[in-house]
Amino acid sequence: MISVSMALSIISKTPFTPNLRTLLLKDANGLLLAEDIISNIHMPPFKQSAMDGYALLLHNKNSYQIVGEVKAGDAVNYSLEPGQGIRIFTGARVPDNANTIVIQEKVNRSENTITIDSEIHLNQNIRAVGEQIKKGDIALTKGTKLTPAGIGFLAGLGVTEVKVYVPPTVAIITTGNELITPGEELKEGKIYESNSLQLETVLQQLHIKQITNYVVQDEYESTKETIQQAINNNDLVLISGGISVGDYDFVKEALSELHTEELFYKIKQKPGKPLFFGTNNKTMIFALPGNPASSLTCFYIYVLPIIQKMMGITAIGLNRTTKLITKDFVKKGDRAQFLKAKVSGETVEILEGQSSAMLYTYAIANALVYIAENVDSIEKGNTVETILLPQ
Ligand code: AMP
Ligand code: MG
């Protein structure tokens, strides 16, 4: 059995090669750019109106003669004389020699003449060519996470494909004879299977799309065959349950039979003691305890950092902070603990119901309080390490 810090250190030292690929821009939300994106155009590409109004070539009077109209999308250019202007609309090409735009609300028009009573400033309401970005400049740097706004920005520069860190392909293998799929009738001795959906959901939050679900009974041969198949086809294999020491837990034996290199098995922690981590060829394998709360905590603490590294993310793990504990806490046993908790402002409350089978507490928690193995008790009002859960 190893300590939490040793397990995290082993994980951080495990080598891997990130997958880089060129994807369609539309498929790249949430992913990190693997290279700088250079703009091929000026943005805006032409002198552009920011408002609906009149583009003018200024002179020393407040009345102007309107000699034409340019609407959004038109390619025309007018050559204005001082005192002349055109009707113009938002997004339209501004004549090369127009030097201001007056919004229509500030104009009185009669036939083809307008008069303006308010002050006019040079270049007002005109977007200069390349004002947002110039051709050849870096639009977004390597390592930027693409968001809806980032995708919109690049699409506006005409970009259709981007080279990104692609997420791993992930297999989820669910073990357990007692498990029934939600929606089916619940029979005596059975429970609804929830780990696979829980894991799938947290993977989807990370923008992982290639997830394959496998289901096996507590039976040695099929467990082994399924794990082999999952290893062959995925970068990361997450196994739920069957990793403990019961007579019907076959995952550990199957993994060694398949020549998986064991990097650790069993951590001095609660929940999630029987966590296994290993590699097989280039596939990373985690066998997570079946208890739903243990499974999720092990995911957040140990699996998430690996996935983040695979996806080019440098600030890995969940955000950690310190908060003031609202009640005295006494730890039982000598294992480190991850406790479901609720942060509010500067304080954190450790919730009732910490059993590793109890998901209700997790469902209403927004944090995990970490108590190191060498800590026995903490008095109310002291600070505790608090891991913030993604909301
Ligand atoms: P195991 O790690 O296989 O010994 O399972 C530990 C506990 O977690 C048992 O009470 C199982 O019934 C429960 N469990 C295992 N897998 C799942 C699952 N996929 N969904 C819900 N509960 C599970
Ligand atoms: Mg089981």
Side-chain angles (χ1 to χ4, degrees):
M1 197 141 62
I2 61 167
S3 66
V4 169
S5 54
M6 178 59 87
L8 287 172
S9 151
I10 291 171
I11 283 177
S12 73
K13 287 182 188 141
T14 305
F16 69 93
T17 325
N19 283 334
L20 306 183
R21 212 175 303 144
T22 299
L23 295 187
L24 289 175
L25 182 61
K26 72 183 183 68
D27 296 326
N29 183 39
L31 306 184
L32 268 67
L33 289 172
E35 61 185 9
D36 293 343
I37 305 287
I38 309 292
S39 181
N40 280 331
I41 61 164
H42 292 307
M43 189 64 201
F46 52 88
K47 189 173 166 186
Q48 197 180 53
S49 174
M51 299 298 270
D52 295 320
Y54 294 86
L56 312 175
L57 178 53
L58 291 171
H59 67 162
N60 53 9
K61 298 192 193 108
N62 68 348
S63 69
Y64 287 82
Q65 185 201 359
I66 301 309
V67 297
E69 175 183 290
V70 183
K71 57 186 187 298
D74 288 352
V76 282
N77 182 25
Y78 280 88
S79 181
L80 303 174
E81 301 290 329
Q84 287 187 335
I86 54 148
R87 179 79 169 112
I88 198 155
F89 301 94
T90 307
R93 185 195 194 286
V94 177
D96 288 345
N97 71 339
N99 55 11
T100 196
I101 290 177
V102 178
I103 61 171
Q104 63 193 46
E105 291 85 344
K106 295 196 170 162
V107 163
N108 289 313
R109 181 164 182 168
S110 151
E111 310 261 297
N112 284 334
T113 303
I114 60 166
T115 50
I116 304 152
D117 292 332
S118 60
E119 218 180 319
I120 305 174
H121 299 284
L122 205 59
N123 291 324
Q124 70 187 11
N125 303 318
I126 295 176
R127 299 176 188 146
V129 177
E131 171 183 286
Q132 199 177 149
I133 188 165
K134 298 204 168 33
K135 182 175 175 173
D137 282 355
I138 295 176
L140 290 177
T141 53
K142 179 181 170 175
T144 303
K145 183 176 180 174
L146 288 170
T147 59
I151 287 182
F153 175 50
L154 294 183
L157 301 178
V159 172
T160 55
E161 291 181 333
V162 280
K163 192 172 178 187
V164 289
Y165 291 86
V166 286
T169 51
V170 186
I172 300 172
I173 304 176
T174 311
T175 74
N177 289 355
E178 73 279 30
L179 303 173
I180 282 193
T181 307
E184 290 176 7
E185 191 193 338
L186 196 57
K187 302 210 178 78
E188 194 59 42
K190 307 284 184 186
I191 58 164
Y192 284 125
E193 193 280 303
S194 60
N195 284 348
S196 63
L197 184 58
Q198 185 168 267
L199 289 170
E200 216 176 312
T201 306
V202 73
L203 290 167
Q204 280 166 353
Q205 270 189 340
L206 296 166
H207 304 281
I208 295 176
K209 294 192 181 113
Q210 292 190 54
I211 304 167
T212 313
N213 273 295
Y214 300 84
V215 177
V216 283
Q217 297 292 297
D218 294 319
E219 194 269 322
Y220 179 66
E221 280 305 322
S222 58
T223 301
K224 194 174 93 177
E225 280 162 26
T226 306
I227 294 177
Q228 178 71 75
Q229 207 186 329
I231 289 171
N232 292 346
N233 296 310
N234 293 278
D235 303 314
L236 176 66
V237 174
L238 305 179
I239 305 166
S240 156
I243 188 62
S244 205
V245 292
D247 290 353
Y248 298 90
D249 290 332
F250 295 114
V251 170
K252 178 78 168 50
E253 196 183 338
L255 284 167
S256 15
E257 186 71 18
L258 294 169
H259 308 294
T260 301
E261 188 189 345
E262 178 181 319
L263 296 170
F264 63 70
Y265 175 49
K266 291 193 177 164
I267 304 177
K268 211 170 169 193
Q269 64 176 8
K270 200 176 163 186
K273 184 171 88 172
L275 177 68
F276 173 97
F277 173 51
T279 55
N280 192 311
N281 275 322
K282 286 186 171 160
T283 300
M284 308 251 188
I285 303 161
F286 284 91
L288 305 164
N291 268 313
S294 317
S295 169
L296 188 59
T297 296
C298 287
F299 181 92
Y300 279 139
I301 305 298
Y302 303 100
V303 184
L304 177 68
I306 287 224
I307 292 179
Q308 288 172 319
K309 273 169 71 178
M310 288 173 164
M311 294 176 70
I313 298 167
T314 47
I316 57 170
L318 294 179
N319 290 332
R320 289 178 185 235
T321 179
T322 50
K323 295 283 171 191
L324 305 173
I325 196 167
T326 56
K327 282 184 225 155
D328 290 349
F329 172 77
V330 179
K331 179 158 74 77
K332 294 193 201 102
D334 61 355
R335 286 187 267 161
Q337 295 201 3
F338 293 94
L339 299 158
K340 276 83 77 184
K342 209 163 195 174
V343 165
S344 102
E346 285 314 303
T347 64
V348 63
E349 178 196 351
I350 295 176
L351 297 168
E352 295 295 322
Q354 292 291 336
S355 147
S356 47
M358 233 177 250
L359 265 186
Y360 169 69
T361 321
Y362 227 140
I364 60 162
N366 59 10
L368 296 173
V369 163
Y370 176 66
I371 312 278
E373 61 184 64
N374 58 356
V375 173
D376 297 323
S377 62
I378 301 168
E379 271 178 40
K380 174 182 169 176
N382 283 309
T383 54
V384 281
E385 187 171 349
T386 305
I387 303 164
L388 302 176
L389 295 171
Q391 295 299 299

